[in-house]
Each structure stands twice: as structure tokens, then as C-alpha cells.
Amino acid sequence: MKKPKAHGDKPVAEMTLAQARREHRRLGEEIAAHDARYYQEDAPTVSDAEYDALRRRYGEIEEKFPQLSSSESLTKTVGAKPSEKFAKVRHAVPMLSLGNVFSDEEVVEFVARVRRFLGLSEDAPLAMTAEPKIDGLSCSLRYEKGELVTAATRGDGYEGEDVTANVRTMREIPARLEGSPPDVLEVRGEVYMTHADFFALNARQEEAGKTLFANPRNAAAGSLRQLDAAITASRPLHFFAYAWGEVAPQLPARTQHGVIEAFAAYGLPVNPLTRLRHTAQELVDHYRRVEEMRASLPYDIDGVVYKVDEIALQERLGFVSRAPRWAVAHKFPAQEATTVLRGIEIQVGRTGALTPVARLDPVTVGGVVVANATLHNEDEIARKDVRVGDTVRLRRAGDVIPQVLGPVLEKRPADAAPYVFPDHCPVCGSAALREIDAKTGEADVVRRCTGVLVCPAQAIERLKHFASRDAMDIEGLGEKQIEQFFNDGTIRTAADIFTLSERDRTQLKKLKDREGYGEVSARNLFGAIEARRAPPLNRFIYALGIRHVGETNARRLARHFGSFAALRETARAAAPESEARAEINNIDGVGPVVAEAVADFFMEPRNEAALDALLAQVEPTPMEAIVASSPVAGKTIVFTGALARMTRDEAKAMADRLGAKVAASVSKKTDLVVAGEGAGSKLAKARELGIETVSEEEWLELAGRGA
Ligand code: IVH
């Protein structure tokens, strides 16, 4: 199968480091922009497939050039933040996402990677389950002593919406489990709607003059996430159980398939197409079979999920940021259609990037009506020679807005002219340039508005980011409000947000008298702002919108520095080649690209001034240590010698999970040395420096995985 690429760019295998660095950076920004559009604006401009392709290319680059593997800002976001209407439920165990693969080769790679991580010998067996990937919405059902007590949507993976009342109306979900389930059992699975029910529902919607649902998944989501459970009750929803969260005192089986069988015995619906397989070839064979059945299944599936069967191995494999190492989704290829390109609109993002968006004659692709699509960037438009008026081929998979593949030349109108990409910002009129890489002399694919501090589009986008859910999380200060406050001059900088209420007191026209506001909503907004004067350090760092510093990197910086002052001091001194730069660079997971961006941000005098103003208003609080109880949290560990019971990767992942940092060499900063068989000079050095050393067995003990 052909691998979908982000665009026709150079294969990663042929890239030089400089090209990879640029592409990595560009992809990072593009992905972050899509994340923002998807999660904060509910207005994605690309299809799932396109988005996946970007992430994959990003990942491929990091794999080939591990020195770039740092901007993990992107690898964390999982889903949408819960809507405000429902009560929130904190998941005892986070509900994470799955990595995707698209080709047989990648399945082979996945299996090989798992085997390598576990250090399995060539002939050691490895059982895996293969099950359909249901295209619905995931839901966590908490049973205590066999009784359903709560049901929650995934939300952002950490906190979801309480949909207990709604789930209680679903006939397929037992209110009481049969047999003898564990005292606490969080069952996770997919809520979905069948095709027949979806069409019937839409017919009813149409009759009632209500909006139609785009696809069964949206219909299922819309039906479950109803404040009025009576509406949910009137909509036929189904469920398949395929995973679990908290379980106590223990799981009913030691394998994935065993647990699923137990779920079935408790009376929960499980998917009948789940199979146990042993090699990549067998997995792929099953995938083909399921793909053939796809059209005749009564519900939507968008791929096949493979999971390592043995739970002890799942635990050893653990997670990387947002997805398990022990599972992967093998997605089906995307669907295509053609339509007419009516116009190209240029959007200006937070970093000034000019992004072209295709406006299309609405067309149905795989059951979804599509009117917008991404055109990626200037080079892509030129390379494909896409012209306004052209009939274009579109592709989408699974989600709302697809990508333009290219024009259908036979249908090109005689007067269609090549598209000229603007060289000025459509919002502020500043020159829009493509940065030239100092080392390679090549132009960046992204054209950026140079009016960083004068461009209203950039300023507005920065403010939106600052106040957004994952950043400062200021309720009532959404996109629309920010645009309004910005345009009337009330809020121009982040610091302005915090002086709003004070200024309002002396204002003639008060907020409460403005259109869209009243006594209560004005008071609520001031209250929400007040409540954010001591933001968690990681959120504050993320909110600043430093390039390449997404949530994950913000957390890394916060954890490493502990306080904003410490970060600022080091970053200010972080000239290239300096010790300070090296310190940032050496934070586990952070690398040169991020270190450079952080240094650039703090060394820019205008940012300094804005920060001073902001820090006069807010005081970030140091972040809570994530693994406070771990005996090695916050420590720096060096592994040396041969490890017998785990691979290096696994040891490192374990340390990561426990909140420890792993360093390559022993120094005064090392807290612990784990010495395997045949450890030599590093062990000697540790002894010389009086650093604590432990054996591999003792390390496993510490890590809670003793024999
Ligand atoms: S396992 C830690 N199995 O796909 C892994 N997920 O793209 C938990 N999904 O969030 C997920 N069918 O909503 C798993 N058989 C299946 C699935 C499945 C559908 C959804 C689920 C998940 C998303 C990840």
C-alpha cells in the first residue's frame, strides 16, 4: 500500500540534517496550528488522514534524526477538553490515544519495535490481539461491586464529562454486571450508532427541520452528550468494550483477550471480530479480512487495532506521551472525491504563518459534506498547480475537512490563472517572507508575516492561545471575546487581561453595560481572571506561546526549573555554546531546537518587557511533581553495564515514568548509578564521587517491578 505523505516533500530518508531540522520545525508548527483549530476552535481545516500524515512524518524525522526528537509539544494532546455543560469526571487512569500506521511495512516495524524493546529472542513467541477500530466515541464505565456508578467521556484524556444518566438509558450497557467482577472495574470502550439507525435519525431530524449529523460518529457523540438524558434514551446507541482503566483488587485475567472474555461473561458487549495473532503477517492477514468485511458491517470502523496480548508485557512497554507502546491502530486508506475550487483564503496564525485554505463547492466524501480543505503552503499550491476554478481531487479519512490532492486538468477552465501567493500579510499588510536558513541557504516552506508586534492577527492569535483551555484556561475569555476586546482596544497584551477589572472600575462605559454582557457575566469574567493569577508553572510557560514549547515541553521546563525565575535566568544566559544553553538542551526530551527557541524568546528585549508587565500581575506556582511518591522522582540516573532483565529503552522509559531523568555520563549531578553486568569506568567514577550505586535487581525493586 502506498504511504500517504504529508505532501510531496522529500522522503525523510533522503534528508540532510539541516533539511530535516527545518521540516521538523515546520511540521511542528503546522501540527500545533491544527491542534489549536481542532481543539479550541472546533474548526479543523484538515482531515484526520492528513493530520495523521503530518504527525507521522514528524515522527519519522525524529526517528532518523534523534537529535531533533525534542519538540514533543505535539505528542501529548489527546482529545477535546470537556464541554462546560457537564459535570467533570477525573479519570483514575488517563484515557489515552493510539498511534497510527498505514502500511504493512509499518506493522512489521511495530512488531519489531515491540520485540526489540522487550529484548525478545527471535524464536520467542509474541501474541497480539487484532480487533476492529470502532469509529464512535470512547467512554469509561465505572463499576463498583458490580454496579454501574459513573460513565464518562474521554474529554481531554484526563478529565471527561459525566454522562452517567445518559449511559443508564443504553440498553446494551448493564446497570449491574453478572458473575463476580472485581470490586472496582472501569470498563472502556466505544459508544457507536449503526448505519441504519443513523439514517433513520437523520430522516427524523430532517422532518423536524433540525440539523443533520455528518456521520454515525457525530450522531453518536451528539446523542450521548445530551444534557437531557431523555434524548439519549430516544437514540439507539451501542457499545463495545475493549479496554479498562482502574481495576481493583485485580484484573480477571493476565491477557488482553482473557480480560475481554471476562467482560463478555459479565454481560458487556464485546466485538466478535477480535482475534489472537502471533506475527505481523498474521495481523496484516486479519486486517485484509476485516477490510473486506467493512462495507457489510452494520457500523463504521476505520481500521484494526493490534495489542500485545500479555498484560505483564503491556505494563513493561508502557506509554510514550499520548499513546501506548504496546498497541497501534492500522488505519484504512482514505476516501476521495472531486469538486470545484471556488477560492483560496489565507489565514494568519500565531507565529505569523500564512496558511492557504481552499473554499470548495460542497461535496460528499465518504458520507461527509466538505466545503473547506487544506492547501498546506505556497509550494504545494505551486507544485500541484492548483488554480481557482479548477476541479480538484479531495481526500478525507474519518474526519471533517480533507486535503486537496491536485487539479483535474481536463476540466480546467480556459481562463484559470496560476495562483499568486500573497507576499504581504492580508491582515496587517506587512511584508510576508520566507525565512532563509543561514546554513543551507534554503527558503522555509512557510511564508510568515513579518509584523510580529504590529500584526493584529498574530496578536489576537497569541492572546487566544494565552487564555485557552490548555494554557491559562480563563473561562469566558474565548476566541470571540478576545477578538472583541482586542478590536476595541481593551486588551492588547496578556498583562491587559489582568488589569481589566481594575480599569473597568474607572471606566464610563462598564463591561456590564456592553452588548453581550450583564452584571453576572461581567462579574464571572472578572472572577475567572482573578482565579488565574497563580497559574501552575507549566501552564504559564505553555501560555507564553514560545515556539516549539507545547504542553509537554512546558512541563519538562517547569519540572526542571521548578520556578519561573529559575527558567528565566537560565534562558536569558543561554547564548549559543553557553553552559546555560547546554543545561536547557540536556533536559530529557528537550533538544537543540527547543533550547534555541527558548533562548531566543527570553533574549528578545520586547518579550522581556511584556513578561515584566505580565509578572507584575501573575505569579506562576511551581508545578506539582507528577510522581511525588516515587523514590527516584526528580533524580538523575545513569545506567551502565549490561542489563539482563530489561533493554536500555525499557530502563529509560521506567525512569521516565517514575519522574527521574536519565543521563549518559556520571558527574557530580548524578544521584544514582544502576550498574549491570560488567559495569566499568562509570561505576568506578560513581564510587569515586560517592554516588549511590545499585544493582539491576535493586533498580527493579525501586521501580516497583521486583522479582
Ligand atoms: S484501545 C490505550 N481499541 O480509538 C489504548 N481503541 O485512536 C486505548 N478505538 O481513544 C484504546 N476502537 O476511542 C482501542 N478496539 C479498540 C478501539 C479503540 C476504537 C478508539 C478509542 C481510542 C481511539 C484511538
Side-chain angles (χ1 to χ4, degrees), residues 96-98 131-134 138 154 190 242 305 307 324 326:
L96 298 180
S97 188
L98 287 172
E131 57 197 86
K133 185 168 188 300
I134 316 299
S138 47
R154 182 170 67 176
E190 207 81 353
Y242 52 65
V305 182
K307 296 173 184 168
W326 47 266

Side-chain angles (χ1 to χ4, degrees), residues 334-338 363-370 394-397 399 402:
Q335 285 164 305
E336 298 190 10
T338 59
V363 63
T364 309
V365 197
V368 174
V369 178
V370 164
L394 296 181
R395 176 161 67 189
R396 81 164 265 282
D399 217 349

